[in-house]
Amino acid sequence: MSEASQVIGSEGSTQDFEREPVPQHLRKKWLSMSLVWIAIGIDLSAMFLGAELGNGMNLADSLTATIVGSVILGLIGALCAYVGAKTGLSTAMISRFLFGNVGARIVSIVLGIFSLGWFGVQVGFFSSNMHTAFDKLLGIDLPLGVLSFVGGLLMMSTAIWGYRSIERLSVWSVPLLVIFIGVAIVAAFKTKGTSAIWEPIAGAPIPMGIAISLVIGIFIVGTVLSPDIGRWARTPMHAVTAAFIGFFVGNSLMTIIAIFLSRLMDTDDLTNIFIALGLGLPAIIVLTLAQWTTNTNNLYSASLGFSVVFQKFPKKWITVIAGLIATSLAVFGIYDKFLSFLNVITSFVSPIGGLYTAEYLLVDRKKFTFEGLDRNRNWIFRSLVVWILATLFAYMTTPSPDGFGLFQLTRVPALDAFVFAFIVQWIIGKIASKKG
């Protein structure tokens, strides 16, 4: 155990155990962890997805797509969080068992870069909607770059202090978010009445398969990174319960709320919905908290990945530098590349979840011990090959122009890559263990 770990003695410690297992006496119960995951799931992208579904599907179909997609996310998230709880390690640290001590650095850099990019995209998403809110409510035309800079620093603040800071933010922000959203729903029903939710759709129809794929695709990378949070669970059952509740409730709650709001108000512009209901201040609070609680976790995961690579630097300073870089990406407009970036990140990151769950559950869980890492090989090429193949497989099932569009499997390229990686890693791992 490291010297830093030996001095841990209280809940108030800022030690985040980025390069070692979380000590058992600091592990959390499922309820507080569920709030963290729910807070992560409550974000603007889920809300705007719900608005699009409500505008392009009837009520029953849009609710069905949301629930089915959220259940799948919950199951994958629970599976990945289980590995995190059993090992007590982050996703980046777990990757050392898969790719070797040197090979894992490549994976950690990829995880870190994509998490930073996604942080920048989400900050841009936040600034765009805050710009609309300030313009409509106060007549103030704030530059997007300024809003991106302020938003990035805000979301960076909690990530600097690690999981326990994120937990505290989630514990008080989730109830507040639910209250404000509840007020919006009640106001919408009073304004429009219940009959409006059964009106014919106003937008272009969305097929059920596409709708489910959108629900899954928007959060599947978060499920793969579940060990970053799951490692704090008191027991594996606490991790599984919290992850399933978090991804199912957190993802579905805001999407379903947005479905009702969009159908009641006959538009998919969520910011203007709040303003039309006379909820200007709650709109700003919801926009801020929803994105803050989600995006701080993106930077947290990025800093955990880079901590495996830059082992001589304190995680706090890694987070600060990474956060400033990600905020700069937002200021310079990475948000404009949202869809293309989403396709790239899901194709590269989602196979990693399939790799480590298959390796732990079906191949060789005995090697997943922190004490054995020093004896680990520098490179494990079979996992690197499977990762590359699974990423190519995702591109094969991704429609052009972002992919090759050769065929379809589940209609969700990220899920295709996860399943492909899981099956192939299991088969190749078993063959390799027999030869060894």
Side-chain angles (χ1 to χ4, degrees):
M1 182 178 293
S2 71
E3 183 179 343
S5 298
Q6 292 173 358
V7 299
I8 296 301
S10 68
E11 289 287 334
S13 169
T14 58
Q15 171 73 3
D16 207 45
F17 311 101
E18 60 272 13
R19 303 182 186 99
E20 58 195 308
V22 176
Q24 193 63 41
H25 72 281
L26 292 180
R27 302 286 187 100
K28 310 291 182 176
K29 293 184 179 180
W30 68 270
L31 182 57
S32 66
M33 297 187 67
S34 295
L35 291 175
V36 172
W37 260 309
I38 290 173
I40 292 170
I42 296 177
D43 81 329
L44 295 182
S45 54
M47 295 171 73
F48 279 84
L49 172 61
E52 288 187 18
L53 295 181
N55 204 42
M57 305 178 78
N58 64 47
L59 183 63
D61 286 346
S62 59
L63 293 178
T64 298
T66 302
I67 291 172
V68 171
S70 297
V71 167
I72 294 172
L73 282 172
L75 292 173
I76 295 174
L79 192 66
C80 294
Y82 175 83
V83 180
K86 291 291 286 186
T87 61
L89 298 170
S90 68
T91 310
M93 287 294 290
I94 289 171
S95 69
R96 291 176 64 180
F97 300 111
L98 295 171
F99 303 103
N101 291 337
V102 177
R105 294 180 185 178
I106 297 174
V107 180
S108 297
I109 290 173
V110 170
L111 287 174
I113 289 174
F114 283 145
S115 294
L116 283 190
W118 191 235
F119 179 93
V121 167
Q122 293 286 349
V123 168
F125 200 30
F126 164 82
S127 64
S128 176
N129 288 284
M130 288 299 289
H131 178 271
T132 301
F134 275 103
D135 184 41
K136 293 289 181 68
L137 292 171
L138 305 174
I140 301 174
D141 185 15
L142 291 174
L144 288 175
V146 172
L147 289 170
S148 295
F149 183 74
V150 173
L153 294 183
L154 182 69
M155 296 165 195
M156 184 173 72
S157 62
T158 39
I160 292 173
W161 302 107
Y163 173 81
R164 279 159 285 191
S165 179
I166 297 172
E167 181 186 32
R168 293 188 190 101
L169 172 65
S170 302
V171 165
W172 67 263
S173 65
V174 168
L176 195 59
L177 280 166
V178 171
I179 290 172
F180 283 137
I181 296 298
V183 169
I185 279 288
V186 171
F189 272 112
K190 283 186 176 181
T191 302
K192 296 294 184 178
T194 58
S195 61
I197 62 175
W198 307 108
E199 294 292 329
I201 61 175
I206 302 175
M208 178 63 72
I210 297 297
I212 294 174
S213 73
L214 288 171
V215 173
I216 296 172
I218 206 165
F219 270 117
I220 194 167
V221 172
T223 65
V224 171
L225 298 173
S226 291
D228 295 345
I229 304 298
R231 67 199 180 103
W232 288 89
R234 182 164 295 181
T235 67
M237 186 53 65
H238 280 276
V240 167
T241 302
F244 183 81
I245 292 175
F247 281 106
F248 176 67
V249 176
N251 184 63
S252 61
L253 175 65
M254 296 310 294
T255 306
I256 289 172
I257 292 295
I259 287 171
F260 277 98
L261 285 176
S262 66
R263 294 195 62 77
L264 286 167
M265 303 301 290
D266 195 27
T267 178
D268 60 359
D269 190 332
L270 206 60
T271 305
N272 284 322
I273 287 175
F274 278 101
I275 294 172
L277 292 171
L279 301 172
L281 180 60
I284 292 177
I285 294 174
V286 167
L287 289 170
T288 302
L289 286 180
Q291 209 62 4
W292 187 358
T293 54
T294 299
N295 215 19
T296 192
N297 189 64
N298 291 324
L299 184 56
Y300 180 60
S301 291
S303 65
L304 289 175
F306 288 130
S307 293
V308 172
V309 181
F310 305 106
Q311 298 185 7
K312 294 183 178 181
F313 290 89
K315 175 179 163 292
K316 184 184 298 186
W317 290 110
I318 290 175
T319 306
V320 170
I321 295 170
L324 291 174
I325 293 172
T327 300
S328 299
L329 291 175
V331 170
F332 289 109
I334 193 176
Y335 169 64
D336 296 333
K337 305 295 183 181
F338 169 68
L339 289 178
S340 296
F341 185 80
L342 181 61
N343 284 323
V344 173
I345 187 176
T346 53
S347 297
F348 275 87
V349 176
S350 54
I352 296 173
L355 287 167
Y356 69 71
T357 51
E359 189 76 15
Y360 184 85
L361 296 174
L362 301 174
V363 180
D364 184 13
R365 71 174 60 189
K366 292 181 181 178
K367 72 178 182 181
F368 283 73
T369 61
F370 179 68
E371 294 74 17
L373 275 175
D374 290 336
R375 300 187 300 272
N376 199 27
R377 284 182 287 167
N378 285 334
W379 296 91
I380 301 177
F381 290 103
R382 63 179 174 85
S383 296
L384 287 168
V385 170
V386 175
W387 182 32
I388 294 170
L389 291 175
T391 300
L392 289 174
F393 189 79
Y395 274 101
M396 291 179 187
T397 63
T398 299
S400 59
D402 295 313
F404 305 138
L406 299 181
F407 56 90
Q408 290 184 331
L409 190 60
T410 65
R411 291 180 177 269
V412 188
L415 184 58
D416 295 342
F418 182 96
V419 173
F420 180 92
F422 185 94
I423 294 173
V424 176
Q425 182 75 1
W426 174 30
I427 295 172
I428 293 180
K430 283 295 186 182
I431 294 172
S433 61
K434 287 182 179 178
K435 289 183 178 179

